[in-house]
Amino acid sequence: MLAFIIRRLLQSVLVMLTVALVAFGLFRYIGDPINNMVGQEATLVEREQLRAQLGLNDPVPVQFARFVANAAQGQFGMSYRMARPVADVIFERLPATLELALISGIGALVVGIALGVYTALRRDGWLSQIIMSLSLIGVSLPTFLIGILLIYVFAVQLQVLPAFGRGEVVRLGWWSTGLLTESGLKSLIMPAITLGLYQLTLIMRLVRAEMLEVLRTDYIKFARARGLSDRSVHFRHALKNTLLPVITITGLQIGSIIAFAIITETVFQWPGVGLLFITAVQFVDVPVMAAYLVLIALIFVVINLIVDLLYFAVDPRLRVKRSGRGS
Amino acid sequence: MSDPTPPPLLSVRNLRIEFPTRRGTLVAIDDVSFDIARGEVLGVVGESGAGKSLTGAAIIGLLEPPGRIAAGEILLHGDPIHRLRPDQMRHIRGRRIAMIFQDPLTSLNPLLTIGQQLGETILTHLDVDEDGARKRAIALLDEVGIPAPAERIDHYPHQFSGGMRQRVVIALALCAQPELIIADEPTTALDVSVQAQIITLLKRLCREHDTAVMLVTHDMGVIAETADRVAVMYAGRLAEIGPVRAVVQTPHHPYTRGLMGSIPVLGADIRRLVQIDGAMPRLNAIPPGCAFNPRCGAVFERCRSDRPDLLPAGATRAACWLFDAGHASEQTR
Amino acid sequence: MNGKPIVSASSGIKTPSLFARIADNDLFYSFIRSPLTVAAAVVTLVIFAAALCAPLISPQNPFDPATLNLMEGFTPPMAPNAFTGNVFWLGTDAQGRDIFSAILYGSRVSLLVGFAAVGFAAVLGITLGLVSGYVGGWVDSLIMRIADVQLSFPAILIALLIFGVFKGIVPPSVQDKVAIYVLIAAIGLSDWVQYARTVRSSTLAEKNKEYVQAARVIGVPAPVILLRHILPNVMGPVLVIATIGLALAIILESTLSFLGVGVPPTQPSLGTLIRVGQDFLFSGEWWIVLFPGLTLLALALAVNLLGDWLRDALNPKLR
Ligand SMILES: Nc1ncnc2c1ncn2[C@@H]1O[C@H](COP(=O)(O)OP(=O)(O)OP(=O)(O)O)[C@@H](O)[C@H]1O
Ligand code: SF4
Ligand SMILES: [Mg+2]
């Protein structure tokens, strides 16, 4: 168990270093950092001074090591566009994205699993057929189009929900939450649906396929042959085995929600890190891009670790060692 | 009012199983009839695809759609069970008829301890509380020869070897003292060294509990040693059925003779049938007349047009025109 | 005497080549039997044809400023314009541009980018997959590690990054001109992994088969072996991946264009049209965004349906 965790941690570190290398590459070689910092009027001497001061004349490996050391402390330099430390800007906006991602992720998971199980058990029922057809629309509907459609119906026509922004927020320490005010919650509804719908359809289709697979296995047949009730066969035997592989992929899905938030945040002008990133791409604000990249990678790695541990907890084949006894 | 001859434990009458497909209906089982008496072991043999598993699945009510019983009936002590509602059938499955599958490695749910799996089965069928169920589970494990059952009961399936797992499967099948166990190739997936142990165990337990067994297997050795009677299936039909000694030592149907190796039989010149060439026909290409006729060394006119019913042939009954009363006279003419 | 007797009827089911399977009635049968699939095929063909023939069938060239009449701006669908009396099926936008024509031309761009990106991804993925499977060793490890890492990041993020790099490197003066190629490359690069994985596993399975070994022994060069023997075996799955990939590429393109990092506004795709039209939603000109949106949805849905059907029909296991 410990060996497994250590190996996983090492792998995670490796992934982070790879991503850091990409981020460093962006930082170092896209545009001229000096130009971006001092503007056109600076003299050559001034430039050279700054260059030396920032260590841009050091050997590249040294620069990379420094980049990693700084990144580990959350320091990514100054945003070119906003002239503020990148870390500050990101931390300011992180709660908005995390709250959005969390709510839509949980919603997608709960509804997705429920619908997936339902459509697998009532495979030929008309409601299942309708749900499956709708899910294909869900997969084919670009996220931004869902958002626009929702805005048109609920904000423009019915005027019951705000079209953009996060509503009023309450500060809890450095965290700002929109979950405690009415306008905050109202503002969250449409973005959460927009962001969650695609994940929901994916999770649902995955759960359905996996469940159908499990229902075909011998141990389900044997459970039926022992006269167990449908309820026990479906929910005690099949569901647990279905969710096992679903955990992994769902973990990745939840991770990618953070990245997909870029689109949702753009549609709803949601003040999160996704909107920050897309603006950074448009204005080539490299430090922000680099920091966002590292942040996303970190979230992915952490989620992956959690998924691994969860797997460990759920599957006795990993948890309990085979005893050598028996014929 | 007592019936002079009580109905057999299980009676399969003219069973026909169909699979509707878009290219017409496949008849997988066609006009199969046999009985199993109380405590009797009926061996069922036949090539892969002959319909052995389907017959078993039909008896226990677990045919998978689109497969369906199109005709015939299945009687348990004379009561039809093939038309029961799913919730009624559930009380028969596990309680009165149990089933054992081929592969013990995949028959047990990997995420539940064997104690949990035994416990829920016992609680489903017997009127006991949790404690009683656990006690019974431990006793069952002991009975099937699992060492240290009180400790092993909380282990997961993957902690057992294949042979041990099949013992657990047998314990699960025996939970509610069923009258009939359908064992579908219970040893095929096991090591050769373990196979005999499992068969011996199954045989012993069934004798002790007076449980009947429908034993599907490819292993003629096991049949010869275990079964009371044998049914030979070919292309969804019964080819021959009779007492085990007769079927193994003096088979009559040319197909059975092929299966048992060539044993020349007096009265019919089919000495050339040393091995059977060709393959069993696909379900959509079963020839008219006798299904075996393309591969049969003794085939004659009538085999290609009329389908033979089971006819008395020595100590067995065989579905072959060679044993029709008219045939002998035709030969001498 | 004991053991499995005699012969088994179902020995060695060989998977026939793709073309044999397409020719097989089963595929055609399952196509005809699924009305949804037929409808999807019709929709796809109509949109493809309309996009291809856009200059022939569209009432105006929507991106030639000379043909636009500002007086005709914001004409609702199917209603005569207040000044000129002209009727536009799907209405016009702020500059009097006919939405129907804009959609035709926009689909052209969307499809062009989609097809090119899928082609790029397929060629890249198949090549890497073949090399990875055939050569093995550290080359294989390297390619598959990259695939793993990339697969754990969403395509949209990778495409956005590539775009960010492009914006930082290429001088602004030529950015608009090459944007579409960058878009194709970005989408293609974000989607090669599936091809590579499929082709690799198939290559691994095939490369030790006798006929490949024999070819190798008589000195047929590796690329020839790969192309002649292994490639045909993977065309089925690749076709499925490519079809679903086309839907994904179209969606990804429209998303990038919607985010403002895709094709330039002078050469709008469906995504660009939606981005521009979104602003008019609040003032009630819903048709500017709705019709391009519906076209995009219809296209993506139809292609997805085709991909789904193809996957099921070509999968012998499910039949
Ligand atoms: N879902 C189905 N659709 C069509 N045909 C089926 C289906 N299920 C089974 N069959 C056919 O029914 C026939 C009998 O199958 P069955 O599994 O009973 O054979 P078996 O005698 O148990 O063979 P084995 O020794 O391989 O277990 C086979 O020819 C098989 O092709
Ligand atoms: S009926 Fe005819 S074909 Fe069939 S087994 Fe008997 S002799 Fe052979
Ligand atoms: Mg079988």
Side-chain angles (χ1 to χ4, degrees):
Chain A
M1 166 98 192
L2 197 67
F4 171 80
I5 292 181
I6 290 177
R7 203 173 57 232
R8 280 315 215 190
L9 276 176
L10 279 179
Q11 273 174 11
S12 307
V13 169
L14 215 67
V15 170
M16 287 308 296
L17 278 180
T18 316
V19 173
L21 191 63
V22 174
F24 170 73
L26 284 179
F27 192 70
R28 182 66 189 78
Y29 297 107
I30 305 293
D32 183 1
I34 301 296
N35 252 350
N36 282 302
M37 284 164 134
V38 296
Q40 304 296 330
E41 309 87 37
T43 64
L44 250 151
V45 183
E46 279 170 344
R47 281 164 186 270
E48 214 27 68
Q49 257 172 1
L50 190 60
R51 189 168 271 280
Q53 197 183 326
L54 289 173
L56 291 180
N57 295 332
D58 293 345
V60 173
V62 175
Q63 291 188 36
F64 178 56
R66 193 181 301 128
F67 177 85
V68 170
N70 284 336
Q73 297 166 36
Q75 288 172 15
F76 289 90
M78 303 286 278
S79 156
Y80 296 161
R81 195 172 63 92
M82 289 172 277
R84 291 179 52 200
V86 173
D88 290 3
V89 185
I90 286 200
F91 266 106
E92 218 168 79
R93 287 167 164 253
L94 201 53
T97 297
L98 287 184
E99 279 183 359
L100 175 62
L102 203 70
I103 297 294
S104 54
I106 291 174
L109 205 58
V110 171
V111 182
I113 291 177
L115 288 182
V117 168
Y118 178 83
T119 50
L121 293 181
R122 297 255 182 290
R123 195 173 137 126
D124 298 318
W126 58 271
L127 191 57
S128 300
Q129 307 273 345
I130 291 179
I131 293 174
M132 281 309 288
S133 309
L134 285 181
S135 82
L136 202 61
I137 298 185
V139 176
S140 307
L141 202 60
T143 307
F144 64 94
L145 213 52
I146 302 173
I148 291 175
L149 238 67
L150 287 178
I151 290 181
Y152 183 65
V153 174
F154 293 101
V156 179
Q157 289 298 321
L158 302 177
Q159 308 211 336
V160 287
L161 293 173
F164 53 82
R166 204 184 164 201
E168 264 175 82
V169 294
V170 177
R171 298 201 69 89
L172 305 170
W174 64 274
W175 187 275
S176 70
T177 178
L179 299 179
L180 297 177
T181 65
E182 199 198 318
S183 75
L185 287 174
K186 271 187 159 177
S187 308
L188 187 60
I189 296 175
M190 290 201 292
I193 292 177
T194 306
L195 184 54
L197 204 59
Y198 181 71
Q199 318 291 331
L200 188 158
T201 46
L202 281 187
I203 291 174
M204 178 195 121
R205 290 168 77 91
L206 178 74
V207 168
R208 186 186 113 98
E210 204 60 51
M211 183 99 174
L212 286 176
E213 195 76 27
V214 169
L215 286 175
R216 273 196 290 269
T217 58
D218 282 355
Y219 56 82
I220 293 298
K221 276 192 213 145
F222 189 41
R224 282 194 207 287
R226 298 203 302 273
L228 302 184
S229 67
D230 279 355
R231 222 174 106 178
S232 170
V233 171
H234 294 159
F235 296 106
R236 195 170 142 93
H237 288 264
L239 186 58
K240 230 176 158 187
N241 280 283
T242 300
L243 292 186
L244 208 56
V246 170
I247 290 175
T248 321
I249 303 185
T250 305
L252 290 178
Q253 287 306 324
I254 300 292
S256 68
I257 273 191
I258 310 256
F260 274 109
I262 297 170
I263 307 165
T264 308
E265 290 180 9
T266 308
V267 177
F268 291 95
Q269 292 299 301
W270 187 265
V273 284
L275 195 57
L276 184 71
F277 175 68
I278 196 72
T279 327
V281 169
Q282 276 155 357
F283 289 93
V284 202
D285 193 347
V286 177
V288 174
M289 281 166 66
Y292 179 82
L293 189 63
V294 173
L295 178 74
I296 289 283
L298 184 67
I299 292 175
F300 266 101
V301 162
V302 169
I303 288 181
N304 262 321
L305 270 177
I306 294 176
V307 163
D308 282 341
L309 292 179
L310 216 58
Y311 222 104
F312 227 84
V314 179
D315 192 341
R317 282 165 293 190
L318 300 176
R319 191 165 19 113
V320 190
K321 275 249 297 263
R322 222 197 116 143
S323 67
R325 219 141 23 117
S327 64
Chain B
M1 268 215 316
S2 68
D3 200 314
T5 50
L9 167 62
L10 181 86
S11 187
V12 175
R13 293 273 140 258
N14 310 102
L15 181 67
R16 180 183 173 97
I17 298 176
E18 294 181 346
F19 286 91
T21 71
R22 54 175 197 237
R23 289 191 170 157
T25 302
L26 292 180
V27 183
I29 300 289
D30 193 4
D31 200 15
V32 164
S33 305
F34 59 87
D35 292 343
I36 300 180
R38 218 171 288 240
E40 180 188 44
V41 177
L42 175 73
V44 180
V45 295
E47 274 170 68
S48 197
K52 309 179 294 289
S53 300
L54 276 183
T55 309
I59 293 171
I60 201 166
L62 286 178
L63 268 187
E64 288 186 16
R68 62 186 190 95
I69 297 179
E73 46 190 12
I74 297 165
L75 311 170
L76 188 65
H77 289 301
D79 301 324
I81 56 168
H82 58 285
R83 288 226 173 88
L84 291 183
R85 289 200 316 271
D87 57 315
Q88 294 171 318
M89 195 61 207
R90 245 197 16 248
H91 296 295
I92 291 185
R93 282 202 289 267
R95 177 109 184 77
R96 303 181 65 188
I97 305 177
M99 186 144 186
I100 298 173
F101 292 96
Q102 175 171 345
D103 191 350
L105 299 183
T106 57
S107 289
L108 298 170
N109 189 333
L111 301 188
L112 299 177
T113 65
I114 60 166
Q116 289 170 322
Q117 304 188 43
L118 280 161
E120 64 175 345
T121 313
I122 293 169
L123 287 172
T124 305
H125 295 299
L126 303 183
D127 189 19
V128 290
D129 59 2
E130 296 260 351
D131 267 359
R134 191 175 166 89
K135 283 211 189 73
R136 173 151 177 80
I138 294 174
L140 275 165
L141 289 178
D142 194 35
E143 204 179 346
V144 297
I146 306 263
E151 179 194 328
R152 297 287 270 169
I153 189 170
D154 292 318
H155 285 188
Y156 288 94
H158 72 275
Q159 295 171 277
F160 293 83
S161 68
M164 282 293 151
R165 272 192 243 188
Q166 197 63 309
R167 284 171 194 263
V168 173
V169 168
I170 292 174
L172 276 162
L174 288 176
C175 272
Q177 299 251 16
E179 298 159 87
L180 171 68
I181 294 182
I182 300 168
D184 193 350
E185 308 191 34
T187 57
T188 309
L190 298 175
D191 280 355
V192 181
S193 56
V194 189
Q195 289 185 354
Q197 291 175 20
I198 294 294
I199 289 292
T200 312
L201 173 74
L202 194 63
K203 206 167 126 185
R204 194 196 81 219
L205 290 171
C206 291
R207 203 172 41 234
E208 283 171 15
H209 297 279
D210 199 24
T211 309
V213 183
M214 176 174 155
L215 179 64
V216 177
T217 178
H218 287 287
D219 189 333
M220 291 312 300
V222 167
I223 291 283
E225 209 175 291
T226 317
D228 301 312
R229 286 192 308 136
V230 184
V232 181
M233 293 192 71
Y234 184 81
R237 306 165 184 196
L238 267 190
E240 185 161 7
I241 184 166
V244 63
R245 278 179 63 91
V247 173
V248 173
Q249 289 177 5
T250 57
H252 287 81
H253 195 286
Y255 174 65
T256 320
R257 263 183 279 183
L259 273 185
M260 305 297 161
S262 171
I263 304 164
V265 162
L266 299 173
D269 180 25
I270 45 172
R271 216 171 291 265
R272 284 167 292 123
L273 188 82
V274 178
Q275 76 229 136
I276 315 177
D277 291 325
M280 200 170 66
R282 287 163 157 271
L283 293 182
N284 55 8
I286 296 179
C290 172
F292 189 57
N293 75 50
R295 298 166 77 188
C296 181
V299 59
F300 56 103
E301 279 294 311
R302 195 175 178 189
C303 308
R304 299 193 216 275
S305 53
D306 301 345
R307 181 176 159 188
D309 279 327
L310 284 175
L311 300 163
T316 73
R317 290 188 303 141
C320 172
W321 288 127
L322 290 174
F323 307 102
D324 186 36
H327 178 64
S329 55
E330 220 170 280
Q331 291 267 296
T332 48
R333 188 161 47 89
Chain C
M1 163 127 176
N2 59 19
K4 295 251 176 194
I6 335 215
V7 253
S8 98
S10 59
S11 63
I13 301 159
K14 266 202 72 175
T15 28
S17 82
L18 170 69
F19 297 106
R21 267 176 285 156
I22 284 190
D24 189 317
N25 288 332
D26 273 359
L27 200 64
F28 186 67
Y29 187 94
S30 80
F31 179 75
I32 292 297
R33 273 296 289 267
S34 161
L36 208 57
T37 310
V38 177
V42 170
V43 170
T44 312
L45 280 180
V46 167
I47 297 181
F48 280 12
L52 206 64
C53 311
L56 300 177
I57 49 179
S58 63
Q60 60 168 227
N61 180 351
F63 305 108
D64 176 2
T67 65
L68 300 183
N69 181 351
L70 271 181
M71 301 285 279
E72 290 179 340
F74 296 132
T75 314
M78 301 305 284
N81 179 272
F83 303 100
T84 61
N86 286 340
V87 176
F88 299 89
W89 289 359
L90 305 183
T92 63
D93 71 2
Q95 285 134 26
R97 179 178 294 133
D98 175 34
I99 297 292
F100 178 61
S101 308
I103 289 177
L104 289 179
Y105 277 82
S107 313
R108 223 170 136 86
V109 177
S110 291
L111 281 173
L112 174 74
V113 174
F115 271 111
V118 166
F120 180 51
V123 169
L124 185 69
I126 291 173
T127 312
L128 289 178
L130 281 174
V131 170
S132 192
Y134 196 78
V135 178
W138 66 268
V139 178
D140 181 31
S141 308
L142 181 70
I143 294 176
M144 285 302 118
R145 274 302 83 67
I146 295 176
D148 284 346
V149 172
Q150 184 172 330
L151 209 60
S152 57
F153 287 89
I156 178 99
L157 198 61
I158 292 163
L160 276 174
L161 266 182
I162 294 173
F163 238 91
V165 172
F166 153 73
K167 280 211 151 185
I169 294 177
V170 177
S173 52
V174 292
Q175 272 184 9
D176 273 4
K177 266 190 222 122
V178 295
I180 194 160
Y181 302 106
V182 179
L183 192 61
I184 291 168
I187 297 174
L189 279 175
S190 69
D191 193 34
W192 60 274
V193 174
Q194 268 215 302
Y195 300 95
R197 287 195 160 179
T198 309
V199 172
R200 172 178 175 271
S201 65
S202 174
T203 306
L204 284 179
E206 291 294 313
K207 88 171 173 186
N208 290 322
K209 292 234 176 103
E210 264 169 46
Y211 68 98
V212 177
Q213 294 286 358
R216 197 186 324 203
V217 168
I218 61 173
V220 180
V224 177
I225 300 178
L226 293 173
L227 288 180
R228 272 246 299 278
H229 294 291
I230 297 180
L231 209 50
N233 279 310
V234 297
M235 281 333 275
V238 163
L239 197 63
V240 174
I241 299 173
T243 311
I244 294 172
L246 179 62
L248 286 179
I250 290 171
I251 292 176
L252 187 52
E253 184 280 326
S254 68
T255 303
L256 289 172
S257 295
F258 173 81
L259 292 177
V261 293
V263 291
T266 49
Q267 205 182 359
S269 72
L270 292 174
T272 326
L273 292 177
I274 295 168
R275 172 191 174 82
V276 175
Q278 188 197 11
D279 297 339
F280 300 108
L281 214 49
F282 295 97
S283 45
E285 284 88 22
W286 47 270
W287 58 89
I288 303 179
V289 62
L290 184 71
F291 293 119
L294 283 182
T295 312
L296 179 60
L297 173 61
L299 183 59
L301 187 59
V303 176
N304 258 335
L305 276 169
L306 283 181
D308 254 26
W309 163 77
L310 200 61
R311 183 185 52 209
D312 293 347
L314 284 183
N315 188 346
K317 211 173 68 186
L318 290 178
R319 266 204 273 150

